[in-house]
Amino acid sequence: MATKPVNRNNDLAAIHIAQKALGLSADDASALKLAITGQASAAKMTTAQRRQYLAHLSGLQARAARDRGEKPAYEPVRPMAQRSTADDQDDRWAKARALWHALAQAGHVHTDTDAALLAYMRRQAKVDAWRFLNTHQVNNVIEALKRWCRRAGVEVAHV
């Protein structure tokens, strides 16, 4: 369990560095933390809350760099409205994505993109974003993709 304090300390250090780089005052930083995570203090945040706050700060830094005409040092890979960087379901997203890609490779899916998979997920689960799915809904979406693969005769190795 020695890794938890190191990760916590690393997160706290990264938070303070990012806040300083953005030029946030202590009051502004507390207000932003409270708005994003519900905690005014980074020390009181859970790991998921710290990661969520760090992701938000990264987005702010990228936006500030673009406004200055510079290339951002880091840009989030996924649109924040669709996926959260604090997702605890990343392995399940990867599984759903692998099944979707296998169906696309076999010609049963015409658009092999995350947006198309999200549209399929919306039809299956009646939820707007992957991060809003509960465990039962995630399993239902993955099982529906597996059944589609079986019906289509698509070989899927250990997914």
Side-chain angles (χ1 to χ4, degrees), residues 78 83 87-102 114 117 130 138 142 145 156 159:
R78 298 178 285 241
R83 302 269 296 134
D87 268 341
D88 60 350
Q89 302 278 358
D90 274 341
D91 56 335
R92 290 177 167 193
W93 172 258
K95 182 180 283 192
R97 189 71 189 95
L99 291 165
W100 189 258
H101 181 69
D114 286 355
L117 175 56
W130 182 268
V138 169
I142 290 172
L145 286 167
V156 185
V159 178

Side-chain angles (χ1 to χ4, degrees), residues 6-18:
V6 172
N7 288 338
R8 180 179 183 275
N9 290 339
N10 290 346
D11 288 349
L12 293 175
I15 286 170
H16 291 293
I17 290 168

Side-chain angles (χ1 to χ4, degrees), residues 19-34:
Q19 289 173 167
K20 186 174 182 179
L22 288 167
L24 296 176
S25 69
D27 290 338
D28 289 342
S30 292
L32 185 60
K33 288 177 211 166
L34 189 61

Side-chain angles (χ1 to χ4, degrees), residues 82-134:
Q82 296 175 353
R83 302 269 296 134
S84 168
T85 56
D87 268 341
D88 60 350
Q89 302 278 358
D90 274 341
D91 56 335
R92 290 177 167 193
W93 172 258
K95 182 180 283 192
R97 189 71 189 95
L99 291 165
W100 189 258
H101 181 69
L103 286 163
Q105 291 294 95
H108 297 283
V109 169
H110 299 291
T111 308
D112 187 16
T113 64
D114 286 355
L117 175 56
L118 286 169
Y120 174 80
M121 179 273 311
R122 282 186 199 100
R123 287 190 304 275
Q124 290 292 315
K126 310 290 189 266
V127 176
D128 287 334
W130 182 268
R131 65 186 168 142
F132 299 134
L133 296 176
N134 62 33

